[in-house]
DNA sequence: GAGCCGTGGAA
DNA sequence: TTTCCAAGGCT
């Protein structure tokens, strides 16, 4: 039994029954799930994914609506630029690919919000192609089981893809299964903290385990604080604009944060990113939300 | 390549 | 309370 075989057997018996894993899920559904799962836990993604797919079952459905609706529907999943890019992605799919999610890796990579991981995930999980799919879970599992190190370094690069490629079965369908199995293993067994080695299918062959589960040496990555940062302020500003039905006066936005300098910087950043638009002299809206100016003046 | 980009739940 | 972490992407 290879590592991949072990992982697949374990996955067959232990995989979570997630909504986007149903056989009827479309490539668009897979793509939406992958974007939503970027840095957001499964438990929060599931209801959002269902709502999203019900409202916009195809890329064309989403592309036909303003970006602001995508950002609203995104709700509090976090990193709302993903909603903006997913909307742009839907438009690109309509314009470049006739509304069909492409199955070519390079064409996927060219889509907004689709990077190395997501492109490979869609090509593999939606189209059954044979590609190494390396996310943070796979990196951690391979790093521990194969290399015997407690945690993978910060950089995910070509080396990670090569390492995983060497573990993949030859047959595409099985290779895809191996990738999802490694991911699942990292998500629910070989977790970042308190790994459940007792139920791990790699228990007897894990290099990390055989060397005594050494702890990570030195300080891990820098703690990325949140409180008091521009990100928090952006979040507060966007939360107001998401719930607005019309242009929001600057004075209303002034209430969310006392530091005027930081507040202005955060708002300017949102505008520059394309999430927010100035409306008239002193109002703001979610980008794409602007009512016709004529109607406003009349 | 380091830093930035949201949010919430668990330890 | 604070810290850490969650299927990354982009500059």
């Amino acid at each position: 039994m290879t590592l991949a075989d072990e992982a697949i057997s374990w996955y067959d018996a232990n995989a979570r029954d997630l909504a986007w894993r149903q056989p009827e899920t479309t490539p668009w559904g897979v793509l939406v799930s992958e974007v939503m799962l970027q840095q957001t836990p499964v438990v929060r993604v599931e209801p959002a994914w269902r709502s999203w797919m019900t409202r916009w079952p195809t890329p064309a459905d989403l592309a036909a609506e303003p970006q602001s609706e995508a950002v609203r529907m995104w709700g509090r999943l976090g990193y709302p630029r993903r909603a903006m890019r997913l909307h742009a992605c839907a438009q690109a799919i309509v314009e470049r690919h006739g509304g069909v999610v492409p199955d070519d890796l390079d064409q996927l990579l060219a889509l907004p919000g689709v990077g190395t991981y997501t492109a490979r995930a869609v090509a593999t999980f939606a189209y059954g192609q044979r590609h190494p799919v390396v996310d943070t879970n796979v990196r951690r599992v391979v790093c521990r089981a194969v290399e015997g190190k407690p945690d993978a370094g910060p950089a995910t690069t070509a080396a990670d893809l090569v390492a995983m490629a060497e573990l993949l079965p030859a047959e595409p369908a099985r290779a895809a299964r191996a990738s999802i199995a490694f991911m699942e293993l990292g998500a629910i067994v070989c977790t970042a903290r308190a790994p459940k080695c007792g139920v791990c299918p790699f228990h007897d062959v894990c290099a990390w385990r055989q060397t005594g589960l050494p702890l990570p040496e030195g300080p891990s990555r820098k703690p990325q604080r949140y409180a008091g940062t521009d990100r928090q302020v952006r979040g507060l500003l966007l939360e107001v604009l998401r719930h607005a039905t019309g242009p929001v006066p600057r004075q209303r936005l002034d209430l969310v944060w006392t530091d005027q300098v930081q507040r202005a910087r955060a708002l300017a950043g949102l505008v520059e990113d394309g999430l927010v638009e100035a409306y008239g002299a002193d109002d703001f809206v979610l980008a794409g939300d602007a009512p016709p100016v004529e109607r406003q003046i009349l």
Side-chain angles (χ1 to χ4, degrees):
Chain A
M1 290 275 275
T2 65
L3 226 45
D5 291 332
E6 297 280 7
I8 290 170
S9 295
W10 172 86
Y11 181 82
D12 288 343
N14 297 280
R16 290 169 294 180
D17 183 25
L18 303 177
W20 46 87
R21 289 181 180 169
Q22 298 305 312
E24 65 268 22
T25 300
T26 61
W28 170 241
V30 173
L31 173 53
V32 171
S33 77
E34 295 300 344
V35 173
M36 286 185 170
L37 287 163
Q38 293 168 3
Q39 306 287 283
T40 300
V42 164
V43 288
R44 289 171 54 205
V45 165
E46 270 213 286
W49 183 84
R50 293 177 190 280
S51 301
W52 190 282
M53 294 307 295
T54 297
R55 179 165 176 185
W56 299 309
T58 72
D61 295 320
L62 174 57
E65 295 215 29
Q67 173 188 299
S68 50
E69 284 306 291
V71 173
R72 282 208 174 80
M73 191 63 115
W74 197 256
R76 301 185 66 80
L77 283 183
Y79 293 143
R81 290 193 292 190
R82 289 183 293 163
M84 179 181 67
R85 290 174 183 149
L86 189 51
H87 180 261
C89 179
Q91 293 186 323
I93 289 171
V94 168
E95 291 167 9
R96 300 175 201 166
H97 308 292
V100 178
V101 175
D103 62 0
D104 177 79
L105 207 50
D106 289 326
Q107 291 181 337
L108 285 164
L109 263 178
L111 296 171
V114 176
T116 302
Y117 164 76
T118 303
R120 290 167 172 277
V122 171
T124 299
F125 304 139
Y127 291 114
Q129 296 172 19
R130 186 179 184 277
H131 301 288
V133 181
V134 177
D135 72 333
T136 183
N137 290 308
V138 173
R139 286 175 53 232
R140 185 173 54 248
V141 172
V142 172
C143 187
R144 286 177 177 171
V146 178
E147 301 172 35
K149 297 185 296 183
D151 268 307
T156 170
T157 57
D160 296 312
L161 291 175
V162 170
M164 188 58 201
E166 291 175 357
L167 299 175
L168 288 185
E171 193 212 343
R174 251 189 110 61
R177 200 126 182 104
S179 285
I180 194 66
F182 269 67
M183 289 175 60
E184 190 78 344
L185 206 43
I188 66 183
V189 173
C190 194
T191 50
R193 39 186 184 191
K196 304 170 179 64
C197 299
V199 297
C200 182
F202 296 167
H203 178 91
D204 295 334
V205 295
C206 177
W208 184 41
R209 186 165 180 74
Q210 289 177 350
T211 55
L213 303 177
L215 296 174
E217 46 186 77
S220 52
R221 38 183 173 253
K222 302 176 179 67
Q224 198 177 181
R225 75 185 194 290
Y226 176 68
T229 62
D230 285 5
R231 294 160 70 188
Q232 182 182 15
V233 184
R234 287 167 57 110
L236 293 169
L237 290 169
L238 221 47
E239 176 67 2
V240 172
L241 291 167
R242 265 202 303 268
H243 293 293
T245 55
V248 176
R250 185 190 295 272
Q251 293 88 324
R252 170 66 187 90
L253 296 176
D254 287 347
L255 300 178
V256 307
W257 199 254
T258 55
D259 182 341
Q260 191 276 142
V261 172
Q262 188 175 21
R263 204 175 59 225
R265 187 173 64 230
L267 183 56
L270 288 171
V271 172
E272 182 169 359
D273 287 350
L275 278 163
V276 171
E277 288 174 356
Y279 184 80
D282 220 28
D283 288 355
F284 294 88
V285 295
L286 239 37
D289 233 6
V293 174
E294 296 77 16
R295 188 189 311 165
Q296 182 72 7
I297 292 174
L298 297 173

